[in-house]
Amino acid sequence: MSPTIERDIPADELDDVRSGRLPARYDHRLQDVFLEQVDRRMRPGVRILDIGSGRAPTIPPHDRPAACRYVGTDIDADELAAAPPGSYDLELAADATRPLPVDERFDLILSWQVLEHVESMADTLNAFRGALDEGGTLIAQLSGSRAAFALLARALPHRLRVLAMTRLLGHVEEEKFPTRYDACTDKDLRGLLVGWSEVEIIPFYRGGSYFLFSDPVLKAYLAYENRVAARDLRGLATHYLVVATR
Ligand SMILES: C[S@@+](CC[C@H](N)C(=O)[O-])C[C@H]1O[C@@H](n2cnc3c(N)ncnc32)[C@H](O)[C@@H]1O
């Protein structure tokens, strides 16, 4: 998935939508849906914790409101160190499954394509809750456990998965991290978010980009995904956007 979310960039899949290779639901970026949620909560002085942001803060410095405090965390200190200078007001090498190692609270927690990597979703959401101020909001984008690409990833050893993604899809090796897919479904997430004051989980059916390497494979995959999308079978969604207020 893409790193720092810049605005006004067309979806990678747009040409394939125009040529009819992909259906219309691929015509916009998932990043823009995420940004819509972020924008509603941006205001001067907002305190943001970006979880698993590593080398690419989710919101670039030039897109943050005045006096925004922006803290970046990642389990891997080298990833944080690789971020462009000025990306963060504070960098914390910390495991998202554990309580935040500083006594600071936030208005917003952002997490872009990180939750499928954590060992325990329950521990992670508890830690997030502890780091949010009363009324603060978590906005997290993650991949679904039952997406076809996730099932393949779970069946393959990590090294083989990386090899397949770099060779077949041209993904960058350094941007591939081991996935766990713990509780990455609509139902499991809702169960773990009981007790939060407001919860919205938006499902997406957007796994086609993993199968663009072959027209017959893509066609077979889309025959399946189109049915899942038409029936809005949320348990089989490829991605979820979680918006949860403490
Ligand atoms: C797919 S990358 C996403 C990075 C960034 N958000 C982006 O879009 O470029 C996943 C990131 O999550 C971090 N990560 C994995 N497990 C983590 C954990 N338990 N706690 C914090 N960060 C974690 C990885 O080190 C990596 O930087």
Side-chain angles (χ1 to χ4, degrees), residues 28-101:
H28 62 281
R29 298 188 310 163
L30 299 186
Q31 288 88 335
D32 293 322
V33 186
F34 183 93
L35 271 185
E36 267 173 40
Q37 294 290 337
V38 173
D39 285 348
R40 286 184 207 172
R41 293 157 180 98
M42 286 301 209
R43 54 168 176 74
V46 65
R47 298 162 297 167
I48 300 178
L49 177 64
D50 193 348
I51 300 277
S53 53
R55 61 182 62 208
T58 306
I59 305 298
H62 59 81
D63 215 8
R64 297 174 196 163
C68 168
R69 172 142 175 95
Y70 201 98
V71 175
T73 74
D74 201 284
I75 198 166
D76 186 340
D78 291 342
E79 283 299 310
L80 286 169
S87 292
Y88 304 113
D89 298 314
L90 174 68
E91 292 170 16
L92 291 172
D95 184 345
T97 64
R98 317 265 315 152
L100 201 66

Side-chain angles (χ1 to χ4, degrees), residues 1-5 50-58 73-77 79-80 88 92-98 111-120 124 161 174-180:
M1 273 284 179
S2 64
T4 297
I5 303 180
D50 193 348
I51 300 277
S53 53
R55 61 182 62 208
T58 306
T73 74
D74 201 284
I75 198 166
D76 186 340
E79 283 299 310
L80 286 169
Y88 304 113
L92 291 172
D95 184 345
T97 64
R98 317 265 315 152
S111 165
W112 177 262
Q113 294 296 148
V114 176
L115 291 180
E116 63 273 34
H117 298 276
V118 302
E119 286 207 11
S120 164
T124 303
R161 171 182 162 254
E174 293 72 44
E175 291 174 7
K176 296 290 135 200
F177 300 88
T179 41
R180 319 264 180 217

Side-chain angles (χ1 to χ4, degrees), residues 172-208:
V172 181
E173 188 170 344
E174 293 72 44
E175 291 174 7
K176 296 290 135 200
F177 300 88
T179 41
R180 319 264 180 217
Y181 289 106
D182 179 47
C184 296
T185 66
D186 182 81
K187 189 175 168 201
D188 288 345
L189 289 164
R190 282 183 196 282
L192 293 172
L193 289 164
V194 166
W196 291 57
S197 68
E198 278 175 49
V199 175
E200 185 181 12
I201 300 179
I202 303 169
F204 299 100
Y205 304 97
R206 296 275 298 254

